[in-house]
Amino acid sequence: MTPAKPAAPRIGRFLRVFGTLIGFLIVVMIFWLQRPETFMTARNLLNITQQMSALGVVAFTMTIVMVLGDFDLSVGAMASLAGIVAALLFQNGQPILVGVIAALLAGMFGGLLNGFLVSFVGVSPFVATLGTLTMFSGVAFYISDGTTIFGRAIPADFSSFALGGIPIGMVDERPVLLPNLTIVALIVLILVWILLEQTVFGRRLYAIGGNREAARLGGVRVRLLRLIAFVITGIGAAFAGLMLVSRLASANPTQGDGLMLNAIAAVFLGMTMSEEGEPHVLGTLLGVLILGVLVNGLTQMQIDSYIQQILTGAIIVLAVVLSSLSRRGR
Amino acid sequence: MIDAVPLLALRAATKRYNGIPALLNASLDLLSGEVHALMGENGAGKSTLIKLLAGVIAADSIQLTLRGESTTIPDPQAAYRLGLRFIYQELNVVPQLSAAENIFLNQPYPTRLGMFISWRHLHDEAKAALESIGAGHIATNSPMARLSPGDQMLVCIARAFLSADGSSASIYIMDEPTAALSRHEVESLFRVIGNLRQQECAILYVSHRMDEIFTIADRVTVLRDGQVIASQPIAEVTPDELISQMIGRKLQSAFPPRQANSEDKRDSSPVLEVNQLTTHDLRDISFELHMGEILGVAGLVGSGRTELLRALMGVDRPSQGEMRLDAQPIKRRTPTNAWHNGIVYVPEERRAQGLILSRSISDNITLPHLRYFSHLGIFQDRPAESRLTRDLGAAVNLRSTGHRQHTRELSGGNQQKVVFARALARSPRVMLLDEPTRGIDMGAKFDIYSLIRQASASGAGILMVSSDLPELIGLCDRILVMRRGQLVNTVEAAELTEEKLLALCYGEVRRDAS
């Protein structure tokens, strides 16, 4: 094979791919300089990873449907619903395992419903998952009577999981723990990475996202794969709901609602990192970290939480705009 | 008639795309009260000429005179002001809107007080336009989606007969207006055209249907490779002469030599048997494809060629009838199963249907075969994929910076070679090729021809759709001729001339009449 075309200018390409990463490092530097005592400490950084773990799990699995060019608005409501399902079973004295399995089954069936509507009925993902969002949320309110389930209802074994971790060193004569929830999120990250980047399943998903018609004519079972992708995303959302119940030792029917927009934002931030603008789960990881670091750093700088929202939103828009500008004209 | 000042005269019209002339120094006179047929093969420049008149594209050079006065058509609005009206072959409709609103699609709606839509006027004027073309049976308030394809076409035609703003039209340009019409509707359109002729309008009429041309036209102009070959009164020409004018003495591209005698191949058992295949677009298609045979499919655009390949591939369902591969019936007709069985496909639109442009050469080649180049059918086996891609890339003479290069960056010919490499990856049994050399340069074309020959020599049966008649005749053993979703003829390529084949595609005038 002989060269057919010169490579794109290297600087532009470098900025296109690594611009978001550089922006992230700049933000970290600013917080480090502003709060040298508290920001760049092992404990704080691990704390950030723990706070972001549920969002991470949702965002990682959301990446799978977004690879297909679809998205799932119902993940937040599903996380809330799954948490309620587990908490209600705990309240009724069921073992932890039963509650966990029931919550994950709820996620699976929710994902099946989404996937069926999108893939087999042909409803657009926006309309289908907006509808199921409302349904899941309604079910969560109905079965919980709109109340928060907390206190004794949540078994101590379950909530203590989120408090625990693996000791990785000592600071000020206190052990520094790698939080269990962080480990769980990392495991999900690795599984999704293997699925998307190392299996033939993942390759086919990227093919569908790139050109659905060409993938179908090329023998890819588009409808089946889209269904499976939504099921995985649904299970991921339910899993994140369980992580929230463990961390907060309570469950209420709106607990996971904030996850959806942040997860989509994280995937979009990650998409700015890839040459072709495809979602990749490692990019999504960076997106999650950006959101987590922003919230943590801005809080430490005692910036009003409403202002935090404005800044976070502006940064997301800026990153995506810069990335699409640099891609234009190709 | 020759002495009269033409209503519209076009001189020295040239339009190049990337340096390749689509129209070269073309001239055309439209006289008052004449129906002027414009003919030519696909790609001869008919569409380009119409787009120039419509102001949709700008010519590299052109001289236009309207009633003896020099003029220009920089944009579609100018064409409208000059009294030109266009009827296109494609249905461009908004299915959700009513027939009346579709008639007014490119026009300002009639208003009251300059603000409020006057629905009554809208419907009245739409009704008048429909009645003027003999389509008064269409209810102006019925949604477009509820109308039959023929009625939808009539609605599109009615647009050209709207006289809402009092402007008067004198030139009608009709690009295959009858493609979707029934015989009855065609007759009523022809009456309208007859009326326009009496009102001293000029009609430029593009059609592939020989019988229509000889029924309605006064004069006929033939385009070939962007040039006007002839412009003559219809009475002075025969259908056969028109076909020769359309084909001309083209440079024959060199084809790789045939390997085996076509008759010998026929002795072997068929690799693919199709019995009474019927779908929405196809009726009762039966044929056999033998090992090593190259079977061409000829026909006009819309004759069902592409639909035949899609049905065999299992893309469009449901289909009735039987398909046997190596004498075994194929039960589940899906693209997945077709690839699995060694039935491979090179679709018509390589960018829209063939390639994942955002992915690498390697990803594109291995896509249908991933399970055979993986660990346990689950995990990607990149080294195996790379080996395959390198070998195939060399075999198809692919020019690239490496197998990780994105297919978006390749030239058309190299993109097509990637699609071919995919088809050849696992010694195919049956290759379905749809316009395999469309839009690629001569060098790549020859490479593709060689690949097709090689695949046939190694025993694949090849079914190849092409609008390029020399290509079909030069490459194929036999040729199936399709017309309106049916197989109307099977001919030996060796006995064919382009003239004969084109005549078969059109269906001769006399045969249509009987």
Side-chain angles (χ1 to χ4, degrees):
Chain A
M1 302 191 197
T2 47
K5 222 180 171 185
R10 288 191 180 237
I11 299 271
R13 182 188 159 136
F14 180 81
L15 276 180
R16 186 159 64 238
V17 175
F18 293 107
T20 304
L21 184 61
I22 294 167
F24 172 65
L25 294 176
I26 290 172
V27 169
V28 168
M29 292 299 290
I30 291 171
F31 289 141
W32 195 0
L33 293 171
Q34 293 287 319
R35 289 289 177 277
E37 304 292 311
T38 53
F39 181 76
M40 208 49 149
T41 64
R43 198 164 270 129
N44 184 50
L45 295 181
L46 287 170
N47 189 29
I48 293 176
T49 65
Q50 197 220 23
Q51 285 166 354
M52 303 314 287
S53 57
L55 172 62
V57 168
V58 174
F60 301 151
T61 53
M62 175 77 87
T63 309
I64 298 170
V65 282
M66 289 184 68
V67 162
L68 290 168
D70 297 328
F71 50 91
D72 185 347
L73 301 180
S74 72
V75 285
M78 174 49 72
S80 305
L81 174 60
I84 290 287
V85 166
L88 281 175
L89 287 168
F90 296 155
Q91 204 171 26
N92 284 341
Q94 298 291 334
I96 290 175
L97 191 64
V98 171
V100 167
I101 289 175
L104 294 179
L105 280 176
M108 189 183 84
F109 282 115
L112 273 173
L113 179 59
N114 284 331
F116 177 75
L117 290 173
V118 170
S119 186
F120 287 87
V121 183
V123 184
S124 82
F126 184 87
V127 175
T129 60
L130 190 64
T132 56
L133 178 164
T134 315
M135 284 169 56
F136 297 160
S137 189
V139 173
F141 272 103
Y142 180 73
I143 62 177
S144 68
D145 273 338
T147 58
T148 300
I149 301 162
F150 64 104
R152 293 241 180 91
I154 311 294
D157 285 349
F158 189 72
S159 46
S160 65
F161 178 78
L163 301 173
I166 297 172
I168 52 169
M170 301 289 280
V171 173
D172 304 337
E173 293 171 24
R174 281 191 299 145
V176 176
L177 297 177
L178 180 62
N180 283 336
L181 291 183
T182 301
I183 296 170
V184 166
L186 281 174
I187 292 171
V188 173
L189 172 71
I190 292 167
L191 289 177
V192 173
W193 180 80
I194 290 173
L195 187 74
L196 284 179
E197 309 289 340
Q198 300 297 322
T199 67
V200 296
F201 176 80
R203 182 74 70 72
R204 292 184 178 125
L205 293 191
Y206 279 107
I208 296 171
N211 185 342
R212 193 181 298 160
E213 180 65 5
R216 188 168 81 99
L217 297 181
V220 176
R221 277 180 270 207
V222 173
R223 293 205 289 190
L224 180 68
L225 265 57
R226 278 176 103 188
L227 178 75
I228 294 172
F230 273 97
V231 169
I232 297 173
T233 305
I235 293 173
F239 200 80
L242 288 170
M243 292 165 72
L244 286 179
V245 173
S246 175
R247 184 156 67 86
L248 304 170
S250 70
N252 79 57
T254 60
Q255 191 153 282
D257 291 5
L259 291 171
M260 179 261 286
L261 286 176
N262 281 323
I264 292 177
V267 181
F268 271 121
L269 282 172
M271 281 161 69
T272 64
M273 298 264 301
S274 87
E275 181 90 356
E276 287 285 341
E278 292 167 331
H280 286 277
V281 74
L282 294 179
T284 302
L285 170 66
L286 183 75
V288 171
L289 290 176
I290 289 175
L291 295 176
V293 164
L294 277 176
V295 170
N296 180 279
L298 292 172
T299 307
Q300 288 199 21
M301 286 169 68
Q302 287 159 352
I303 287 173
D304 182 275
S305 71
Y306 298 137
I307 303 285
Q308 284 185 26
Q309 274 196 28
I310 297 173
L311 283 175
T312 309
I315 285 171
I316 293 167
V317 170
L318 185 73
V320 174
V321 165
L322 287 179
S323 139
S324 55
L325 280 181
S326 72
R327 240 180 284 277
R328 192 172 289 173
R330 289 203 305 145
Chain B
M1 257 179 132
I2 311 280
D3 311 324
V5 175
L7 191 51
L8 181 76
L10 173 144
R11 291 275 174 280
T14 297
K15 174 69 186 175
R16 286 188 168 84
Y17 291 106
N18 300 323
I20 300 161
L23 207 57
L24 193 61
N25 202 20
S27 298
L28 188 72
D29 285 341
L30 290 181
L31 306 181
S32 293
E34 82 163 352
V35 177
H36 193 134
L38 183 63
M39 297 196 81
E41 288 186 284
N42 298 332
K46 305 186 301 278
S47 304
T48 308
L49 194 147
I50 290 172
K51 283 181 192 161
L52 289 181
L53 290 176
V56 177
I57 56 174
D60 299 339
S61 70
I62 193 168
Q63 293 161 19
L64 275 172
T65 53
L66 186 70
R67 297 193 173 87
E69 284 172 35
S70 164
T71 185
T72 58
I73 306 179
D75 53 45
Q77 288 74 27
Y80 188 84
R81 277 196 307 275
L82 294 175
L84 276 70
R85 297 292 181 272
F86 294 83
I87 295 167
Y88 295 105
Q89 68 187 110
E90 310 91 41
L91 285 170
N92 38 1
V93 299
V94 183
Q96 298 85 353
L97 295 182
S98 69
E101 287 172 282
N102 270 286
I103 289 175
F104 273 87
L105 207 56
N106 303 317
Q107 296 290 323
Y109 285 10
T111 55
R112 241 176 288 150
L113 303 174
M115 288 169 71
F116 305 103
I117 298 172
S118 170
W119 291 104
R120 196 167 50 82
H121 279 112
L122 182 95
H123 282 277
D124 286 351
E125 283 164 19
K127 189 87 192 160
L130 283 170
E131 275 168 356
S132 73
I133 60 166
H137 64 280
I138 298 174
T140 55
N141 59 359
S142 70
M144 208 61 180
R146 297 249 188 88
L147 298 180
S148 71
D151 282 353
Q152 293 191 23
M153 190 68 219
L154 290 173
V155 167
C156 292
I157 293 173
R159 283 178 192 150
F161 295 91
L162 204 55
S163 52
D165 49 4
S167 66
S168 66
S170 55
I171 299 167
Y172 291 86
I173 289 135
M174 306 185 178
D175 188 359
E176 296 204 53
T178 58
L181 298 186
S182 70
R183 181 172 291 270
H184 174 72
E185 290 159 341
V186 170
E187 281 167 9
S188 125
L189 177 66
F190 281 4
R191 273 196 297 278
V192 175
I193 293 176
N195 288 340
L196 291 174
R197 176 162 36 194
Q198 298 218 311
Q199 294 159 28
E200 296 295 301
C201 292
I203 296 107
L204 184 65
Y205 190 89
V206 178
S207 176
H208 279 308
R209 295 192 182 164
M210 207 59 92
D211 51 343
E212 290 184 356
I213 299 287
F214 279 88
T215 307
I216 192 90
D218 301 308
R219 268 203 307 160
V220 55
T221 294
V222 176
L223 278 175
R224 184 172 77 227
D225 298 333
Q227 288 174 284
V228 172
I229 297 304
S231 194
Q232 62 233 323
I234 196 83
E236 296 175 8
V237 72
T238 66
D240 287 346
E241 283 166 1
L242 273 183
I243 286 173
S244 318
Q245 288 173 359
M246 281 192 270
I247 295 167
R249 298 283 157 260
K250 270 194 199 165
L251 270 178
Q252 289 278 335
S253 50
F255 295 98
R258 288 168 211 268
Q259 263 118 356
N261 190 319
S262 149
E263 315 260 310
D264 295 346
K265 293 179 188 169
R266 217 75 46 78
D267 294 338
S268 67
S269 58
V271 57
L272 182 72
E273 292 162 85
V274 176
N275 278 317
Q276 300 182 316
L277 183 71
T278 298
T279 68
H280 180 54
D281 305 297
L282 302 171
R283 253 187 309 159
D284 215 5
I285 305 243
S286 303
F287 65 91
E288 287 182 354
L289 175 65
H290 296 263
M291 274 180 68
E293 186 180 29
I294 305 180
L295 185 56
V297 183
L300 302 176
V301 172
S303 59
R305 301 173 305 177
T306 295
E307 288 77 6
L308 173 61
L309 296 196
R310 287 172 68 94
L312 296 177
M313 196 64 196
V315 180
D316 295 326
R317 279 171 285 171
S319 58
Q320 286 155 10
E322 195 189 30
M323 266 177 78
R324 284 167 178 272
L325 183 70
D326 292 321
Q328 298 298 311
I330 301 177
K331 294 207 181 68
R332 279 182 52 79
R333 286 183 212 157
T334 63
T336 313
N337 224 24
W339 282 99
H340 178 63
N341 288 331
I343 302 178
V344 303
Y345 185 35
V346 173
E348 185 177 12
E349 308 279 344
R350 87 182 136 259
R351 294 171 70 85
Q353 304 173 324
L355 292 172
I356 321 286
L357 293 169
S358 57
R359 306 300 290 182
S360 69
I361 293 170
S362 176
D363 285 9
N364 271 282
I365 290 179
T366 56
L367 183 65
H369 317 294
L370 276 175
R371 72 168 106 166
Y372 307 100
F373 298 93
S374 63
H375 299 295
L376 310 170
I378 296 172
F379 295 102
Q380 300 173 15
D381 184 352
R382 290 242 168 78
E385 292 184 44
S386 300
R387 277 196 302 278
L388 174 80
T389 307
R390 256 196 299 276
D391 293 351
L392 283 169
V396 303
N397 197 14
L398 183 67
R399 289 170 57 88
S400 71
T401 56
H403 65 277
R404 303 302 310 164
Q405 189 179 12
H406 283 187
T407 47
R408 186 193 304 286
E409 298 164 6
L410 299 174
S411 70
N414 280 306
Q415 287 181 339
Q416 190 70 343
K417 286 177 185 175
V418 172
V419 181
F420 255 83
R422 170 197 291 170
L424 295 169
R426 290 176 53 248
S427 323
R429 300 290 299 135
V430 174
M431 295 184 83
L432 307 174
L433 313 179
D434 201 347
E435 303 283 4
T437 63
R438 175 183 286 177
I440 63 178
D441 60 78
M442 283 311 299
K445 250 184 200 180
F446 190 82
D447 287 342
I448 298 276
Y449 293 150
S450 307
L451 291 173
I452 295 173
R453 278 264 187 267
Q454 279 165 27
S456 103
S458 54
I462 294 165
L463 194 63
M464 174 173 131
V465 167
S466 178
S467 299
D468 187 336
L469 301 183
E471 175 177 295
L472 279 181
I473 294 168
L475 216 53
C476 296
D477 301 307
R478 286 185 304 157
I479 296 174
L480 307 175
V481 181
M482 293 189 71
R483 221 156 50 213
R484 297 181 195 180
Q486 283 176 297
L487 206 60
V488 293
N489 227 322
T490 306
V491 283
E492 293 288 331
E495 302 165 0
L496 270 181
T497 59
E498 285 176 58
E499 283 85 350
K500 263 193 206 162
L501 184 52
L502 196 60
L504 287 172
C505 293
Y506 277 109
E508 284 154 44
V509 185
R510 282 158 227 97
R511 192 177 307 171
D512 261 24
S514 66

